[in-house]
Amino acid sequence: MNNNYFPLSYRWFLAKGLTKWQPWYFIDTDFSVKEAPNCVENQFATRAFKVETGADFDVYLFARRQDMDDYAFFVVRDGKIEDKVVSMHLSFAKKLELNEPLRYSEIKQSFVQWLREIVIADVEYWISEEDMYDE
């Protein structure tokens, strides 16, 4: 069974069960990444992404922030999911939301960089907001 549809770093985190990074969570499971990606399931977000960014590439939704309409997508180029991540807030306004359309050449962030720069920063903020350790 071919499970190389998704970036290695993403598969590694899923295999280790590292999938819930409050407020973020991953869409896929360790089982689902062993199959061909289901690009139909989250079309509402991928369509909104294309309209709002005017991107010259396709995307695959892999994570969502639970408390707002922030989404993380892998770049899809020539039918292959790449280790390039675009994370953004979608407005679902059905119009271009950027001053200039987003271009493939502008995307530099990898999955691990996204975890470090976006997810861990959000986790750190949530830790400071919660009193989960106070009894």
Side-chain angles (χ1 to χ4, degrees), residues 45-93:
T46 56
R47 272 196 298 267
F49 174 88
K50 287 289 275 190
V51 169
E52 293 179 29
T53 65
D56 66 349
F57 55 88
D58 292 321
V59 292
Y60 175 84
L61 177 66
F62 75 89
R64 183 170 182 190
R65 191 173 156 146
Q66 70 184 40
D67 61 334
M68 57 183 65
D69 287 329
D70 287 4
Y71 297 85
F73 302 90
F74 284 121
V75 170
V76 178
R77 186 76 160 185
D78 299 325
K80 183 179 183 331
I81 296 174
E82 297 185 358
D83 189 10
K84 291 184 167 202
V85 175
V86 179
S87 182
M88 66 179 297
H89 180 83
L90 295 177
S91 67
F92 298 97

Short mmCIF file of all heavy atoms in Angstrom, two decimals, residues 45-93:
data_model
loop_
_atom_site.label_atom_id
_atom_site.label_comp_id
_atom_site.label_asym_id
_atom_site.label_seq_id
_atom_site.Cartn_x
_atom_site.Cartn_y
_atom_site.Cartn_z
N ALA A 45 -13.90 24.55 1.80
CA ALA A 45 -12.73 25.35 2.20
C ALA A 45 -11.78 25.56 1.02
O ALA A 45 -11.26 26.66 0.84
CB ALA A 45 -12.00 24.70 3.36
N THR A 46 -11.56 24.53 0.22
CA THR A 46 -10.64 24.67 -0.90
C THR A 46 -11.20 25.63 -1.96
O THR A 46 -10.46 26.41 -2.54
CB THR A 46 -10.27 23.31 -1.52
OG1 THR A 46 -11.44 22.62 -1.92
CG2 THR A 46 -9.50 22.46 -0.54
N ARG A 47 -12.50 25.58 -2.16
CA ARG A 47 -13.12 26.52 -3.11
C ARG A 47 -13.00 27.96 -2.60
O ARG A 47 -12.66 28.87 -3.34
CB ARG A 47 -14.59 26.17 -3.34
CG ARG A 47 -14.81 25.16 -4.44
CD ARG A 47 -16.26 25.13 -4.88
NE ARG A 47 -17.18 24.73 -3.84
CZ ARG A 47 -17.59 23.49 -3.63
NH1 ARG A 47 -17.17 22.52 -4.39
NH2 ARG A 47 -18.44 23.22 -2.67
N ALA A 48 -13.28 28.16 -1.32
CA ALA A 48 -13.17 29.50 -0.73
C ALA A 48 -11.73 30.00 -0.81
O ALA A 48 -11.50 31.17 -1.12
CB ALA A 48 -13.65 29.49 0.72
N PHE A 49 -10.78 29.12 -0.57
CA PHE A 49 -9.37 29.49 -0.66
C PHE A 49 -9.04 30.00 -2.06
O PHE A 49 -8.42 31.05 -2.22
CB PHE A 49 -8.47 28.30 -0.32
CG PHE A 49 -7.02 28.56 -0.53
CD1 PHE A 49 -6.25 29.13 0.48
CD2 PHE A 49 -6.40 28.27 -1.74
CE1 PHE A 49 -4.90 29.40 0.28
CE2 PHE A 49 -5.06 28.53 -1.95
CZ PHE A 49 -4.31 29.10 -0.94
N LYS A 50 -9.44 29.26 -3.08
CA LYS A 50 -9.14 29.64 -4.46
C LYS A 50 -9.76 31.00 -4.82
O LYS A 50 -9.11 31.84 -5.43
CB LYS A 50 -9.64 28.57 -5.44
CG LYS A 50 -8.84 27.30 -5.44
CD LYS A 50 -7.48 27.49 -6.07
CE LYS A 50 -7.57 27.34 -7.56
NZ LYS A 50 -6.29 27.26 -8.23
N VAL A 51 -11.01 31.21 -4.42
CA VAL A 51 -11.69 32.47 -4.72
C VAL A 51 -11.04 33.63 -3.96
O VAL A 51 -10.77 34.68 -4.54
CB VAL A 51 -13.19 32.37 -4.36
CG1 VAL A 51 -13.86 33.73 -4.42
CG2 VAL A 51 -13.88 31.38 -5.29
N GLU A 52 -10.77 33.44 -2.68
CA GLU A 52 -10.27 34.53 -1.85
C GLU A 52 -8.80 34.88 -2.10
O GLU A 52 -8.38 36.00 -1.84
CB GLU A 52 -10.48 34.21 -0.37
CG GLU A 52 -11.95 34.18 -0.01
CD GLU A 52 -12.22 33.84 1.45
OE1 GLU A 52 -11.36 34.15 2.30
OE2 GLU A 52 -13.29 33.26 1.72
N THR A 53 -8.03 33.92 -2.61
CA THR A 53 -6.60 34.17 -2.84
C THR A 53 -6.27 34.35 -4.31
O THR A 53 -5.21 34.91 -4.62
CB THR A 53 -5.74 33.01 -2.32
OG1 THR A 53 -6.03 31.82 -3.07
CG2 THR A 53 -5.95 32.78 -0.83
N GLY A 54 -7.11 33.85 -5.21
CA GLY A 54 -6.77 33.88 -6.63
C GLY A 54 -5.55 33.05 -6.94
O GLY A 54 -4.85 33.30 -7.93
N ALA A 55 -5.25 32.06 -6.10
CA ALA A 55 -4.03 31.26 -6.21
C ALA A 55 -3.90 30.57 -7.56
O ALA A 55 -4.90 30.14 -8.15
CB ALA A 55 -3.98 30.22 -5.09
N ASP A 56 -2.66 30.44 -8.02
CA ASP A 56 -2.37 29.74 -9.27
C ASP A 56 -2.00 28.27 -9.01
O ASP A 56 -1.29 27.66 -9.80
CB ASP A 56 -1.28 30.46 -10.07
CG ASP A 56 0.08 30.46 -9.39
OD1 ASP A 56 0.18 30.07 -8.20
OD2 ASP A 56 1.07 30.84 -10.04
N PHE A 57 -2.45 27.74 -7.89
CA PHE A 57 -2.20 26.35 -7.52
C PHE A 57 -3.39 25.83 -6.73
O PHE A 57 -4.22 26.61 -6.26
CB PHE A 57 -0.91 26.23 -6.69
CG PHE A 57 -0.90 27.10 -5.45
CD1 PHE A 57 -1.42 26.66 -4.25
CD2 PHE A 57 -0.39 28.40 -5.51
CE1 PHE A 57 -1.43 27.47 -3.13
CE2 PHE A 57 -0.39 29.21 -4.40
CZ PHE A 57 -0.91 28.75 -3.21
N ASP A 58 -3.47 24.52 -6.60
CA ASP A 58 -4.54 23.89 -5.83
C ASP A 58 -4.05 23.64 -4.41
O ASP A 58 -2.85 23.72 -4.12
CB ASP A 58 -4.97 22.58 -6.48
CG ASP A 58 -5.65 22.80 -7.81
OD1 ASP A 58 -6.43 23.76 -7.93
OD2 ASP A 58 -5.41 22.00 -8.74
N VAL A 59 -4.98 23.32 -3.52
CA VAL A 59 -4.64 23.06 -2.13
C VAL A 59 -5.41 21.85 -1.59
O VAL A 59 -6.44 21.46 -2.15
CB VAL A 59 -4.92 24.28 -1.22
CG1 VAL A 59 -3.99 25.42 -1.53
CG2 VAL A 59 -6.37 24.72 -1.31
N TYR A 60 -4.89 21.31 -0.50
CA TYR A 60 -5.53 20.21 0.23
C TYR A 60 -5.63 20.65 1.68
O TYR A 60 -4.61 20.94 2.33
CB TYR A 60 -4.70 18.93 0.12
CG TYR A 60 -5.25 17.81 0.96
CD1 TYR A 60 -6.27 17.01 0.47
CD2 TYR A 60 -4.77 17.58 2.24
CE1 TYR A 60 -6.80 15.98 1.25
CE2 TYR A 60 -5.30 16.56 3.02
CZ TYR A 60 -6.32 15.78 2.53
OH TYR A 60 -6.85 14.77 3.29
N LEU A 61 -6.83 20.73 2.21
CA LEU A 61 -7.05 21.11 3.61
C LEU A 61 -6.56 20.00 4.53
O LEU A 61 -6.98 18.85 4.39
CB LEU A 61 -8.54 21.37 3.86
CG LEU A 61 -8.93 21.71 5.29
CD1 LEU A 61 -8.34 23.04 5.72
CD2 LEU A 61 -10.44 21.72 5.45
N PHE A 62 -5.68 20.35 5.47
CA PHE A 62 -5.20 19.33 6.41
C PHE A 62 -5.40 19.71 7.87
O PHE A 62 -5.32 18.86 8.75
CB PHE A 62 -3.72 18.99 6.16
CG PHE A 62 -2.75 20.03 6.62
CD1 PHE A 62 -2.25 20.02 7.91
CD2 PHE A 62 -2.33 21.03 5.76
CE1 PHE A 62 -1.34 20.97 8.34
CE2 PHE A 62 -1.42 21.98 6.17
CZ PHE A 62 -0.93 21.96 7.47
N ALA A 63 -5.67 20.98 8.17
CA ALA A 63 -5.86 21.38 9.57
C ALA A 63 -6.80 22.56 9.66
O ALA A 63 -6.94 23.35 8.73
CB ALA A 63 -4.52 21.73 10.21
N ARG A 64 -7.41 22.66 10.83
CA ARG A 64 -8.34 23.75 11.08
C ARG A 64 -8.22 24.21 12.52
O ARG A 64 -7.96 23.41 13.42
CB ARG A 64 -9.76 23.27 10.82
CG ARG A 64 -10.77 24.36 10.99
CD ARG A 64 -12.13 23.98 10.52
NE ARG A 64 -13.00 25.12 10.69
CZ ARG A 64 -14.30 25.09 10.57
NH1 ARG A 64 -14.90 23.95 10.25
NH2 ARG A 64 -15.02 26.17 10.74
N ARG A 65 -8.38 25.49 12.71
CA ARG A 65 -8.40 26.03 14.06
C ARG A 65 -9.84 25.96 14.56
O ARG A 65 -10.76 26.40 13.88
CB ARG A 65 -7.89 27.48 14.06
CG ARG A 65 -7.65 27.95 15.45
CD ARG A 65 -6.99 29.30 15.49
NE ARG A 65 -7.32 29.89 16.78
CZ ARG A 65 -6.53 30.67 17.46
NH1 ARG A 65 -5.35 30.99 17.00
NH2 ARG A 65 -6.92 31.15 18.62
N GLN A 66 -10.04 25.43 15.75
CA GLN A 66 -11.38 25.12 16.25
C GLN A 66 -12.21 26.34 16.62
O GLN A 66 -13.44 26.27 16.62
CB GLN A 66 -11.30 24.20 17.47
CG GLN A 66 -10.74 24.86 18.71
CD GLN A 66 -10.58 23.89 19.85
OE1 GLN A 66 -10.17 22.76 19.66
NE2 GLN A 66 -10.90 24.34 21.04
N ASP A 67 -11.59 27.47 16.92
CA ASP A 67 -12.34 28.61 17.43
C ASP A 67 -12.57 29.72 16.42
O ASP A 67 -13.15 30.75 16.76
CB ASP A 67 -11.65 29.17 18.68
CG ASP A 67 -10.24 29.67 18.39
OD1 ASP A 67 -9.62 29.17 17.43
OD2 ASP A 67 -9.76 30.54 19.13
N MET A 68 -12.08 29.54 15.19
CA MET A 68 -12.30 30.55 14.16
C MET A 68 -12.10 29.91 12.80
O MET A 68 -11.72 28.76 12.71
CB MET A 68 -11.37 31.76 14.36
CG MET A 68 -9.91 31.43 14.38
SD MET A 68 -8.85 32.86 14.69
CE MET A 68 -9.28 33.31 16.35
N ASP A 69 -12.35 30.66 11.75
CA ASP A 69 -12.24 30.13 10.39
C ASP A 69 -10.82 30.23 9.85
O ASP A 69 -10.58 30.74 8.76
CB ASP A 69 -13.23 30.83 9.46
CG ASP A 69 -14.67 30.41 9.72
OD1 ASP A 69 -14.86 29.24 10.12
OD2 ASP A 69 -15.57 31.23 9.53
N ASP A 70 -9.85 29.73 10.63
CA ASP A 70 -8.47 29.63 10.19
C ASP A 70 -8.23 28.21 9.70
O ASP A 70 -8.59 27.24 10.38
CB ASP A 70 -7.49 29.95 11.31
CG ASP A 70 -7.45 31.43 11.64
OD1 ASP A 70 -8.23 32.20 11.05
OD2 ASP A 70 -6.63 31.81 12.49
N TYR A 71 -7.63 28.10 8.53
CA TYR A 71 -7.41 26.82 7.88
C TYR A 71 -5.96 26.71 7.44
O TYR A 71 -5.32 27.72 7.15
CB TYR A 71 -8.31 26.68 6.65
CG TYR A 71 -9.78 26.71 6.98
CD1 TYR A 71 -10.46 27.92 7.12
CD2 TYR A 71 -10.49 25.54 7.15
CE1 TYR A 71 -11.81 27.95 7.44
CE2 TYR A 71 -11.85 25.56 7.46
CZ TYR A 71 -12.49 26.77 7.60
OH TYR A 71 -13.81 26.79 7.91
N ALA A 72 -5.46 25.49 7.37
CA ALA A 72 -4.12 25.23 6.86
C ALA A 72 -4.23 24.25 5.70
O ALA A 72 -4.93 23.24 5.80
CB ALA A 72 -3.21 24.69 7.95
N PHE A 73 -3.54 24.58 4.63
CA PHE A 73 -3.61 23.80 3.40
C PHE A 73 -2.20 23.41 2.95
O PHE A 73 -1.27 24.21 3.07
CB PHE A 73 -4.21 24.63 2.26
CG PHE A 73 -5.58 25.16 2.54
CD1 PHE A 73 -5.75 26.40 3.13
CD2 PHE A 73 -6.70 24.43 2.18
CE1 PHE A 73 -7.02 26.92 3.36
CE2 PHE A 73 -7.98 24.95 2.41
CZ PHE A 73 -8.14 26.18 2.99
N PHE A 74 -2.09 22.21 2.41
CA PHE A 74 -0.89 21.85 1.67
C PHE A 74 -1.07 22.32 0.24
O PHE A 74 -2.18 22.26 -0.30
CB PHE A 74 -0.67 20.33 1.65
CG PHE A 74 -0.14 19.76 2.93
CD1 PHE A 74 -0.86 18.80 3.61
CD2 PHE A 74 1.09 20.16 3.43
CE1 PHE A 74 -0.37 18.24 4.78
CE2 PHE A 74 1.58 19.62 4.61
CZ PHE A 74 0.85 18.66 5.28
N VAL A 75 -0.01 22.75 -0.39
CA VAL A 75 -0.02 23.09 -1.79
C VAL A 75 -0.08 21.80 -2.61
O VAL A 75 0.60 20.83 -2.29
CB VAL A 75 1.24 23.90 -2.16
CG1 VAL A 75 1.38 24.06 -3.66
CG2 VAL A 75 1.22 25.26 -1.47
N VAL A 76 -0.92 21.81 -3.63
CA VAL A 76 -1.00 20.67 -4.56
C VAL A 76 -0.54 21.18 -5.91
O VAL A 76 -1.09 22.14 -6.44
CB VAL A 76 -2.44 20.12 -4.65
CG1 VAL A 76 -2.52 18.99 -5.65
CG2 VAL A 76 -2.94 19.68 -3.28
N ARG A 77 0.48 20.54 -6.43
CA ARG A 77 1.05 20.95 -7.72
C ARG A 77 1.16 19.72 -8.61
O ARG A 77 1.73 18.71 -8.18
CB ARG A 77 2.42 21.57 -7.49
CG ARG A 77 3.05 22.15 -8.69
CD ARG A 77 2.42 23.48 -9.03
NE ARG A 77 3.36 24.21 -9.87
CZ ARG A 77 3.20 25.41 -10.26
NH1 ARG A 77 2.13 26.08 -9.91
NH2 ARG A 77 4.07 25.99 -11.03
N ASP A 78 0.59 19.79 -9.79
CA ASP A 78 0.58 18.66 -10.73
C ASP A 78 0.04 17.40 -10.07
O ASP A 78 0.56 16.30 -10.27
CB ASP A 78 1.99 18.41 -11.29
CG ASP A 78 2.52 19.61 -12.06
OD1 ASP A 78 1.71 20.29 -12.73
OD2 ASP A 78 3.73 19.88 -11.99
N GLY A 79 -1.02 17.56 -9.24
CA GLY A 79 -1.68 16.44 -8.60
C GLY A 79 -0.95 15.86 -7.40
O GLY A 79 -1.39 14.88 -6.81
N LYS A 80 0.17 16.45 -6.98
CA LYS A 80 0.96 15.94 -5.86
C LYS A 80 0.90 16.92 -4.69
O LYS A 80 1.10 18.12 -4.86
CB LYS A 80 2.41 15.74 -6.31
CG LYS A 80 3.31 15.16 -5.24
CD LYS A 80 4.72 14.97 -5.78
CE LYS A 80 5.69 14.33 -4.85
NZ LYS A 80 5.58 14.47 -3.47
N ILE A 81 0.63 16.37 -3.50
CA ILE A 81 0.63 17.19 -2.28
C ILE A 81 2.08 17.44 -1.88
O ILE A 81 2.84 16.51 -1.69
CB ILE A 81 -0.14 16.49 -1.14
CG1 ILE A 81 -1.61 16.34 -1.51
CG2 ILE A 81 0.01 17.27 0.16
CD1 ILE A 81 -2.43 15.54 -0.53
N GLU A 82 2.44 18.71 -1.78
CA GLU A 82 3.81 19.10 -1.46
C GLU A 82 3.92 19.53 0.00
O GLU A 82 2.93 19.88 0.64
CB GLU A 82 4.26 20.25 -2.36
CG GLU A 82 4.30 19.89 -3.82
CD GLU A 82 4.87 21.02 -4.68
OE1 GLU A 82 5.20 22.10 -4.13
OE2 GLU A 82 4.99 20.80 -5.90
N ASP A 83 5.15 19.54 0.50
CA ASP A 83 5.42 19.99 1.86
C ASP A 83 5.56 21.52 1.86
O ASP A 83 6.58 22.08 2.23
CB ASP A 83 6.67 19.33 2.42
CG ASP A 83 6.86 19.62 3.90
OD1 ASP A 83 5.93 20.16 4.54
OD2 ASP A 83 7.95 19.31 4.43
N LYS A 84 4.51 22.17 1.41
CA LYS A 84 4.40 23.63 1.41
C LYS A 84 3.04 23.95 2.00
O LYS A 84 2.03 23.39 1.57
CB LYS A 84 4.51 24.20 0.00
CG LYS A 84 5.87 24.07 -0.62
CD LYS A 84 5.87 24.76 -1.97
CE LYS A 84 7.29 24.93 -2.46
NZ LYS A 84 7.38 26.00 -3.44
N VAL A 85 3.02 24.85 2.96
CA VAL A 85 1.80 25.14 3.70
C VAL A 85 1.38 26.60 3.55
O VAL A 85 2.21 27.50 3.62
CB VAL A 85 1.99 24.81 5.20
CG1 VAL A 85 0.77 25.23 6.02
CG2 VAL A 85 2.27 23.33 5.39
N VAL A 86 0.08 26.77 3.35
CA VAL A 86 -0.54 28.10 3.38
C VAL A 86 -1.58 28.04 4.48
O VAL A 86 -2.45 27.18 4.49
CB VAL A 86 -1.23 28.43 2.04
CG1 VAL A 86 -1.89 29.79 2.12
CG2 VAL A 86 -0.27 28.35 0.89
N SER A 87 -1.48 28.97 5.41
CA SER A 87 -2.42 29.04 6.52
C SER A 87 -3.08 30.40 6.48
O SER A 87 -2.40 31.42 6.35
CB SER A 87 -1.67 28.84 7.84
OG SER A 87 -2.55 28.87 8.92
N MET A 88 -4.41 30.42 6.56
CA MET A 88 -5.09 31.71 6.48
C MET A 88 -6.50 31.65 7.06
O MET A 88 -7.08 30.58 7.21
CB MET A 88 -5.15 32.21 5.04
CG MET A 88 -5.99 31.38 4.11
SD MET A 88 -6.03 32.06 2.44
CE MET A 88 -6.81 33.64 2.70
N HIS A 89 -7.00 32.82 7.34
CA HIS A 89 -8.38 32.99 7.79
C HIS A 89 -9.25 33.16 6.54
O HIS A 89 -8.95 34.01 5.70
CB HIS A 89 -8.52 34.21 8.69
CG HIS A 89 -9.90 34.43 9.17
ND1 HIS A 89 -10.42 33.77 10.25
CD2 HIS A 89 -10.89 35.23 8.70
CE1 HIS A 89 -11.68 34.16 10.43
NE2 HIS A 89 -11.99 35.04 9.49
N LEU A 90 -10.27 32.34 6.41
CA LEU A 90 -11.19 32.47 5.27
C LEU A 90 -12.42 33.25 5.70
O LEU A 90 -12.96 33.04 6.78
CB LEU A 90 -11.60 31.09 4.76
CG LEU A 90 -10.48 30.24 4.16
CD1 LEU A 90 -11.01 28.86 3.77
CD2 LEU A 90 -9.84 30.93 2.96
N SER A 91 -12.87 34.13 4.83
CA SER A 91 -14.05 34.95 5.13
C SER A 91 -15.31 34.38 4.49
O SER A 91 -16.41 34.75 4.89
CB SER A 91 -13.84 36.37 4.62
OG SER A 91 -13.79 36.38 3.20
N PHE A 92 -15.15 33.52 3.49
CA PHE A 92 -16.27 32.96 2.73
C PHE A 92 -17.11 34.06 2.08
O PHE A 92 -18.30 33.94 1.92
CB PHE A 92 -17.12 32.02 3.59
CG PHE A 92 -16.33 30.84 4.09
CD1 PHE A 92 -15.76 30.84 5.36
CD2 PHE A 92 -16.13 29.74 3.28
CE1 PHE A 92 -15.01 29.77 5.80
CE2 PHE A 92 -15.39 28.66 3.72
CZ PHE A 92 -14.82 28.66 4.99
N ALA A 93 -16.44 35.14 1.69
CA ALA A 93 -17.10 36.29 1.08
C ALA A 93 -17.32 36.12 -0.43
O ALA A 93 -17.91 36.99 -1.06
CB ALA A 93 -16.30 37.55 1.34
#
